[in-house]
Amino acid sequence: MSDPSEALASAKAAADRIVNVKRLNACLTPIKELRKSLAAQASTAHPSGVLYGMPVAVKDNICTLEFTTSCGSKILEGYRSPYDATAAAKLKAAGALIAGKTNCDEFGMGSSTEHSAYGRTLHPFDKTRVPGGSSGGSAALVAAGAVPAALGSETGGSVRQPASLCGVVGIKPTYGRVSRYGLVAFGSSLDQIGVLGRSVHDAARVLSVISGRDPKDSTCEDRDSLRLPNVPESLQGFVIGVPKEYFPQDLDAAVRRACDRAIRLLRELGAAVREVSLPHTAYAVATYYIIAPAEASSNLARYDGARYGPRFNGSEDVRALYRTTRGDGFGPEVRRRVLVGTYVLSSGYYDAYYRKAQQMRALIAQDFRNVFDRGVDLLFTPTTPTPAFKAGEKLNDPVAMYLSDIFTVTANIAGLPAISVPIGRIKGLPIGGQLIGQAFLEDEMLEAAYALERAVPAAEEA
Ligand code: GLN
């Protein structure tokens, strides 16, 4: 696309498609506002940009000038950021159109998008099920065909898990590959902006645009933006490790079948596949659910009614202002995280929990280095232990909800890039396979993902 009339048509078509899937509650932006903004963006977008006219939806915890940024929370209802996140600014500079803000679990805390103050998002193929989370709105919009790609964010799997459950591609880049400037902080040492796309190519194109150095984020690496690899003819020369800890005895039989088929296809493509071990995997969920809440409790201290968003009434003094604002403004899952985080950081328990979790984090990261040092290029695992679960099924059982992140949190803990690619269906519900790569070697990971995507019958029952 290269002329403004095409960009305008693309903007209008995107708005129409988003209206058509309104029942999913995936997009939080009011439709009138969305239409107006898309038209305005299309008329000013730069025709020479590599994403010219491409509608890209953005998770509601990524700041944009055009729309409010509520993070799925009441505490930021109506909040308008005075600046664009670097990722959003880069999208616009490349000619893309920001196609509204997507529903998510409050501040990214959750795995089902049920923890949103604005109602749950429905799974696009089965309204009784969840789309995964926390980037469930982005995943549902892409899976429903409303946009070719959307930004999400990852602290422990929030791009890959919903991608897996909705049958789309989800990429979590290496920590430091994409600027976090303007991504509302959850667990700063784990957070990365990621991309959901209807294909590896769509997701990778968007990732390439948003990647690269940013003086506004000191944790963003001083590197050029990601160069996209070609689609490989074969995977000859690739060594792919299959970590046995990700295939426990009690793994869902259909998930195992889908993975076995994907592994067979990787072999047929020429890759050497070998079993490997990541011995500290069993501690990953516990480690994550100490570190992430600890960082969250500190990051969320800023929401006090004095600085951002609405102020809740009935506050006669400053302590009461904090109490009522935070008590009314945060939902139950966020309050739980703040409590857990404050507890594990408190002086009496710091050594017992937080320090131990940091030590375990180092061991988990070392597990990956050991495997990669022995000549393994990439790892293959399931993305999620099951297909999309029923709404309400895990809502009152936080541990069951947390366990749906069991295969994804490790890449965040170790800072590694990972991608989920659809590898089959189980009774019509999609399931994803995950490739975990080495730090800053997204190009190799994408090559393997391209090949797998082409070979695997993703729409077939496993
Ligand atoms: N589901 C995980 C959590 O609730 C991961 C969330 C995320 O990646 N943002 O913390």
Side-chain angles (χ1 to χ4, degrees), residues 108-111 134 153-158 186 288-289 337 405:
M109 298 175 192
S111 310
S134 60
S153 72
E154 273 256 1
T155 307
S158 279
F186 165 8
Y288 172 83
Y289 279 99
R337 305 280 178 117
D405 305 328

Side-chain angles (χ1 to χ4, degrees), residues 261-346:
R261 178 169 72 188
I263 291 167
R264 201 182 61 236
L265 292 167
L266 290 169
R267 275 211 179 91
E268 283 171 19
L269 285 161
V273 178
R274 44 162 118 123
E275 187 181 274
V276 297
S277 173
L278 299 164
H280 296 94
T281 302
Y283 305 104
V285 170
T287 301
Y288 172 83
Y289 279 99
I290 293 172
I291 294 174
E295 295 187 14
S297 70
S298 160
N299 276 324
L300 269 55
R302 74 192 68 172
Y303 306 108
D304 53 13
R307 280 171 273 211
Y308 305 88
R311 175 176 293 193
F312 293 90
N313 288 330
S315 13
E316 51 295 338
D317 60 42
V318 79
R319 286 185 76 88
L321 166 70
Y322 294 171
R323 200 168 45 239
T324 50
T325 300
R326 291 169 67 80
D328 293 352
F330 288 143
E333 183 60 25
V334 172
R335 289 205 297 272
R336 178 164 27 239
R337 305 280 178 117
V338 170
L339 289 173
V340 169
T342 312
Y343 181 84
V344 299
L345 289 173
S346 60

Side-chain angles (χ1 to χ4, degrees), residues 18-74:
I18 293 171
V19 177
N20 282 338
V21 297
K22 204 168 170 306
R23 63 179 178 89
L24 299 178
N25 193 31
C27 179
L28 294 177
T29 307
I31 195 64
K32 257 182 145 165
E33 183 189 345
L34 181 65
R35 278 196 192 284
K36 212 171 134 199
S37 170
L38 274 171
Q41 292 181 59
S43 61
T44 54
H46 223 288
S48 59
V50 293
L51 299 181
Y52 181 60
M54 178 177 181
V56 179
V58 172
K59 187 176 179 180
D60 200 33
N61 63 349
I62 298 171
C63 293
T64 55
L65 283 167
E66 338 344 84
F67 308 111
T68 58
T69 300
S70 75
C71 298
S73 180
K74 224 168 93 180

Side-chain angles (χ1 to χ4, degrees), residues 100-225:
K101 302 300 275 284
T102 61
N103 201 7
C104 58
D105 288 296
E106 192 174 356
F107 288 101
M109 298 175 192
S111 310
S112 66
T113 316
E114 292 170 289
H115 293 305
S116 164
Y118 304 100
R120 75 177 182 97
T121 293
L122 276 52
H123 191 287
F125 307 160
D126 179 346
K127 62 180 189 314
T128 67
R129 291 179 190 269
V130 303
S134 60
S135 313
S138 292
L141 274 191
V142 174
V147 286
L151 298 190
S153 72
E154 273 256 1
T155 307
S158 279
V159 166
R160 288 164 289 155
Q161 189 258 17
S164 172
L165 302 193
C166 289
V168 299
V169 170
I171 311 179
K172 176 228 173 271
T174 310
Y175 187 80
R177 173 64 90 177
V178 174
S179 169
R180 288 187 297 116
Y181 181 76
L183 165 65
V184 176
F186 165 8
S188 312
S189 75
L190 302 155
D191 295 343
Q192 271 292 288
I193 292 176
V195 188
L196 297 107
R198 67 189 160 183
S199 65
V200 175
H201 185 62
D202 282 330
R205 279 166 76 201
V206 171
L207 177 63
S208 150
V209 163
I210 64 171
S211 65
R213 62 179 60 81
D214 179 15
K216 292 178 181 143
D217 172 8
S218 61
T219 64
C220 184
E221 288 264 325
D222 185 16
R223 285 173 191 260
D224 292 339
S225 58

Side-chain angles (χ1 to χ4, degrees), residues 377-456:
D377 300 305
L378 293 164
L379 298 166
F380 178 84
T381 79
T383 309
T384 50
T386 62
F389 46 90
K390 290 267 187 196
E393 190 181 314
K394 300 183 199 255
L395 200 52
N396 297 315
D397 184 350
V399 175
M401 188 76 90
Y402 297 170
L403 285 172
S404 62
D405 305 328
I406 192 155
F407 301 139
T408 50
V409 292
T410 45
N412 302 76
I413 290 173
L416 300 173
I419 183 169
S420 179
V421 178
I423 57 167
R425 299 241 170 143
I426 300 174
K427 298 201 181 98
L429 294 171
I431 186 85
Q434 170 172 241
L435 290 162
I436 305 176
Q438 302 173 61
F440 296 103
L441 294 184
E442 277 90 349
D443 48 350
E444 278 186 12
M445 180 181 87
L446 290 171
E447 276 188 72
Y450 275 132
L452 179 62
E453 176 184 55
R454 224 169 30 172
V456 83

